[in-house]
Amino acid sequence: MQRIAHGTGLQGPPPSARLRNGRRATFVYFALNGFLMGMWIVYIPVVRQHTGADHALLGWLLLLLGAGAFAGMRLAGPLTDRFGAQVTVPAGAALCAVALVPPAWAADAPALGAALLLLGFGNGCLDVGMNTHAVQVERGYGRPVMSAFHAVFSVGGALAALAGAAALGLGLPAAATLGATALGGLLLALLAAPALLDPDPAPAPVPDPAPAPVPAPAQASAQVTAPAGDAAVRPARRASPRVRMLAVLAFLLMLCEGVANDWSALHLEDSLGAPAATAALAYGAFAAAMTAGRFLADRVAARTGPVAVLRHGAALAAAGLALAVAAPGVPAALAGWTLFGAGLSGCVPQLFSAAGHADPGAAGANVARVAGLGYLGMLAGPAVIGPLTRLVPLGPALLLPVACCAFAALAAGALRPEGPPGPQPMVSER
């Protein structure tokens, strides 16, 4: 097992107070992001009714939310590499918070589309910035800490569901509730900003690798084949084949998450005849297992390595969803959806972590590549299953995410570092 801290191949000293505060701030932003987007999800029916959009039109409008998020991710990645997460994270959080208000005021579909584009853009900026900062925190700790951040994001969404339900129960206007949420989010984004870490210093180029004299040809070769830590001096930042594979895996696994979000309850209702209240337990079981698994995944990754987490997690997810599809009754189906969530829980955080660590000088850009394609997968999952159900029943259609998980399990070796040894933060290469 190989542990690293602060860019070395050795176990580092205990985390400093500054690093611990940076980790706490990262938790704050992940929870805030989950809460803000959770509040939007709670108020989707209210906003739809206010604008008069039918379900089909709303589906198209939600694609603008995804398009805005993708654009925000692509922009925030290079900006984070240039200015640091301590600039882009508060800015993205503030924009995401403020953008929560316009959907509540939208009077028609065009206005709602513009509002969702802005909300998605803010969400994308915050997503990439906070994940890049999480990579920096993880590098400082010298051990896996990424999955816990994603677990706190899920907790933020659950708290938003409770708060939104309470506000709706009290009959509070959507504009007032979302406005108050935006104000609180804006204040929290600004208050947590000072605790964010400064960017890691880029290593200065060294013309002569003294003290040992090196022949001229070897010097030239060393300058050409500089390790990832010297990425800041390279003019180009093209994604490596490994990063591209990580992005593909993120697309497939987040597609599976999107399928669970939109189709788990419908599966129990349509395929097994469960009443609506019972069918809702399918998504609840999936989400609870996902959150709990992410709180545990960092410890598992520290003991077994990220490759094992992805390989065995994706395999467990494939087996769980296959069990749900083949289940003869509701209890077995709920068990399958629970295993599906538990298996997926630690997979995507490992991909984000590996992308950020692949090249410390381009961490933001690489996280943006992986997160951006993953987000498209989450949008594509529900959209793909729908047309498939015109050809086959819903149960067999869910074998598509089973195949995605199986492929991810087979391709888990993509998490291993490539190229010459460098400051790679992989905990284990198994």
Side-chain angles (χ1 to χ4, degrees):
M1 183 173 293
Q2 178 186 15
R3 300 188 71 185
I4 87 153
H6 303 288
T8 71
L10 304 174
Q11 173 66 37
S16 65
R18 178 65 174 160
L19 183 58
R20 290 195 300 270
N21 289 335
R23 187 185 185 191
R24 294 187 187 104
T26 311
F27 277 124
V28 169
Y29 284 107
F30 270 82
L32 176 60
N33 189 205
F35 190 86
L36 292 174
M37 298 311 296
M39 288 296 288
W40 154 244
I41 291 172
V42 169
Y43 276 88
I44 286 178
V46 176
V47 172
R48 185 192 70 82
Q49 184 178 11
H50 180 68
T51 58
D54 58 20
H55 288 87
L57 179 57
L58 179 63
W60 287 107
L61 293 175
L62 290 175
L63 290 178
L64 293 176
L65 181 74
F70 186 79
M73 290 175 181
R74 300 298 293 178
L75 177 64
L79 290 179
T80 301
D81 290 332
R82 181 173 182 180
F83 299 108
Q86 86 279 21
V87 174
T88 58
V89 172
L95 178 59
C96 188
V98 172
L100 191 62
V101 178
W105 290 99
D108 50 31
L112 179 58
L116 292 181
L117 194 65
L118 179 63
L119 178 60
F121 184 83
N123 179 51
C125 291
L126 175 56
D127 191 296
V128 166
M130 69 187 187
N131 273 288
T132 304
H133 188 264
V135 169
Q136 186 180 350
V137 170
E138 187 173 61
R139 188 179 298 122
Y141 270 79
R143 59 181 173 85
V145 296
M146 176 69 79
S147 293
F149 295 134
H150 287 252
V152 169
F153 173 89
S154 300
V155 172
L159 292 176
L162 296 175
L168 290 170
L170 294 173
L172 299 178
T177 303
L178 295 182
T181 302
L183 179 59
L186 181 61
L187 293 175
L188 192 59
L190 299 178
L191 289 174
L196 294 172
L197 302 177
D198 296 326
D200 290 333
V206 180
D208 183 3
V214 179
Q219 281 186 344
S221 176
Q223 291 174 356
V224 173
T225 59
D230 293 329
V233 302
R234 295 199 302 261
R237 280 288 205 289
R238 304 178 70 177
S240 67
R242 177 178 174 238
V243 170
R244 289 195 288 269
M245 175 55 75
L246 294 175
V248 170
L249 292 176
F251 176 88
L252 296 176
L253 291 172
M254 293 181 72
L255 180 149
C256 296
E257 290 188 34
V259 169
N261 292 342
D262 285 20
W263 292 97
S264 55
L266 288 172
H267 167 246
L268 260 69
E269 188 172 353
D270 292 354
S271 300
L272 298 175
T278 302
L281 294 177
Y283 175 71
F286 169 83
M290 172 80 76
T291 304
R294 284 179 169 172
F295 276 119
L296 297 173
D298 287 330
R299 293 188 179 185
V300 175
R303 293 180 64 87
T304 67
V307 174
V309 171
L310 178 57
R311 177 178 294 127
H312 299 305
L316 177 62
L321 187 54
L323 171 62
V325 170
V330 170
L334 290 176
W337 284 108
T338 302
L339 292 176
F340 188 51
L344 285 179
S345 61
C347 294
V348 171
Q350 306 307 315
L351 300 175
F352 283 17
S353 177
H357 290 305
D359 181 352
N366 285 335
V367 169
R369 292 177 178 117
V370 173
L373 198 58
Y375 196 87
L376 290 181
M378 183 168 285
L379 293 175
V384 168
I385 295 298
L388 277 180
T389 58
R390 297 182 179 179
L391 304 176
V392 295
L394 177 56
L398 292 177
L399 294 177
L400 173 63
V402 172
C404 292
C405 290
F407 177 85
L410 295 173
L415 285 175
R416 294 191 181 96
E418 62 184 1
Q424 296 288 350
M426 302 300 292
V427 176
S428 170
E429 296 184 5
R430 284 182 282 172

